[in-house]
Amino acid sequence: MLVSWNATNACNLSCRHCYRDAGRKLAGELDTAEAVNLIDEIARVGFKILIFSGGEPLLRPDIYELVRYAASRGLRPVFGTNGTLITGGVAVKLKKAGAAAVGISLDSTNPSRHDRFRGTVGAWHAAVEGMKACRSAGLPFQVHTTVMEWNCREVEELTDLAVELGATAHHVFFLVPTGRAANLEEESLRAAQYEQLLSRLVKKQEEVPIEIKPTCAPQFMRIAFRMGKKPRYRKGCLAGTAYCLVTPEGDVQPCAYLNVRVGSIREVPFSRLWKENPVFLRLRSEEYGGRCGRCAYRRACGGCRARAYFYHGDYMAEEPWCLYEARAAGEGGP
Ligand code: SF4
Ligand code: SF4
């Protein structure tokens, strides 16, 4: 089970697809004492992994203290970062504080294409330098790529680059239209391209020694099963069942891209929200609508609840980016 905490809304880049519409620090962000209390609650409820994300989490002055505290509570502190602030010294400090791994964004093998998407000249080189710094410090890192129409043909090359740089994994994120990404909806992949890319990734996985993980692409589970592979994950979409997100101001939602506010940790303890909130209970019911409801893979996949919400206004509706019709295929599922 994992929680992502947007530790701050401040960011040093201006990525076109940012789901938080990050840039400036917000006035009401959780302070150190509130963050420590949140970490206690996350550990109490049985989560294993705490992802410090943002904005850019390394812009929080108390970040090392919070990483150290999370590790002392038995959590595995990991990062979702743009990597541009990771110098040799920062990597060593993160490692010493107890960070277990770092996920660094890289969207192209071509520096200027990456920089254009990230809204900052020099972002590609700084991110790659950040990866090298992690490697020197013995801090495991993985490459995170957001895939869209403009870069979907270079995903396998990015996997090869990740291997060359010494990454432990390549996580491929499929765009969900929220935050600034809502403006990019027309540039996102269409269902057929999405299916093709997922099949390509299943094949690429056979060729490389590192893990390739499609993220926000739960249909990957169905595609892998149908290709005769056994995925190593329990379920495609974990929103509200084994994953949730806390915003910089302490609001809880089922997933970074599913903008349904479940409650605030300033009003109700996180542990109570997680155990009792009706939104989480509904997501755990697995009673999906449309094709997902009829699908034999629904327990393994679950469809993207955030895309269902964006396109249908109901997070339990069918996943709009899936072309699979279980009855037509006549399959019993895994
Ligand atoms: S709803 Fe599920 S599949 Fe969609 S982005 Fe969130 S966790 Fe990923
Ligand atoms: S129909 Fe829904 S549950 Fe079935 S594979 Fe597609 S997205 Fe997943």
Side-chain angles (χ1 to χ4, degrees), residues 126-171:
V128 169
E129 285 307 308
M131 293 178 199
K132 290 178 183 167
C134 290
R135 193 175 180 178
S136 302
L139 177 59
F141 71 94
Q142 54 199 43
V143 172
H144 289 178
T145 298
T146 297
V147 68
M148 297 182 59
E149 208 159 22
W150 68 268
N151 63 353
C152 77
R153 276 167 292 281
E154 56 178 302
V155 175
E156 288 96 334
E157 279 173 50
L158 273 157
T159 302
D160 293 334
L161 179 61
V163 172
E164 194 186 314
L165 289 166
T168 55
H170 184 200
H171 286 197

Side-chain angles (χ1 to χ4, degrees), residues 219 222 291-292 295 297-298 301-305 319 322 324:
Q219 301 90 316
R222 184 244 311 154
R291 280 198 304 266
C292 292
C295 180
Y297 295 94
R298 72 182 180 283
C301 165
C304 176
R305 299 298 105 219
E319 148 79 79
C322 182
Y324 185 64

